[in-house]
Amino acid sequence: EMGRMAEAGIVLERFYSGSTCTPSRAMMMTGRYNIRNGMQDSVLHSTEPRGLPLDEKLLPGKLRDVGYATAGVGKWHLGMYRSAYLPERRGFDHWFGIYTGGGSHTAHFSVSQPFTVRGIDGTQMWQGSNLYEDE
């Protein structure tokens, strides 16, 4: 695919990344500069009622659309205050990792304080630390 793109004149020879977690992840998942989706400023914290805009089509969703199974392992850090922002709703078939910054995937602990995720109507959707496994 990269060879075909190069033949068509699309040569990817420079990559500009965000300097922190959320901005760089937003760029990687959307293929767009983070200034285009509002994720350029800072990292998302567990109490923030925002995330990567839901109208952005993410890489795992695009891969799923063409027949790939998708799984994510690691740190999400792209929003979690509503279930629509979670990795499984953004194209991943399976997810194992933490939603926010700080934690250990191998020791299965989070350095963040426990928190509550609430639905748009204020109902509690989930409560605990930020390590999550879908199965």
Side-chain angles (χ1 to χ4, degrees), residues 14-130:
R14 293 186 181 102
F15 182 76
Y16 299 101
S17 174
S19 61
T20 56
C21 306
T22 299
S24 61
R25 280 175 170 68
M27 290 173 68
M28 181 181 72
M29 287 293 179
T30 64
R32 301 173 67 208
Y33 287 116
N34 51 27
I35 193 77
R36 303 264 184 217
N37 53 41
M39 297 284 105
Q40 73 276 8
D41 295 326
S42 183
V43 299
L44 290 176
H45 299 281
S46 61
T47 57
E48 289 187 74
R50 66 183 185 108
L52 186 60
L54 297 175
D55 60 351
E56 291 283 351
K57 184 77 171 186
L58 305 187
L59 177 62
K62 290 179 179 184
L63 290 171
R64 189 191 306 172
D65 289 348
V66 295
Y68 286 91
T70 59
V73 176
K75 179 169 70 169
W76 179 241
H77 228 176
L78 292 174
M80 53 178 256
Y81 84 103
R82 290 191 350 220
S83 61
Y85 288 89
L86 299 179
E88 305 84 352
R89 301 280 179 90
R90 303 302 300 266
F92 284 107
D93 296 316
H94 302 283
W95 174 260
F96 178 82
I98 56 178
Y99 289 148
T100 63
S104 170
H105 305 294
T106 56
H108 304 283
F109 71 84
S110 169
V111 297
S112 68
Q113 296 296 316
F115 57 89
T116 301
V117 177
R118 298 195 183 280
I120 195 163
D121 61 355
T123 59
Q124 181 176 318
M125 296 172 14
W126 182 81
Q127 185 173 31
S129 61
N130 70 5

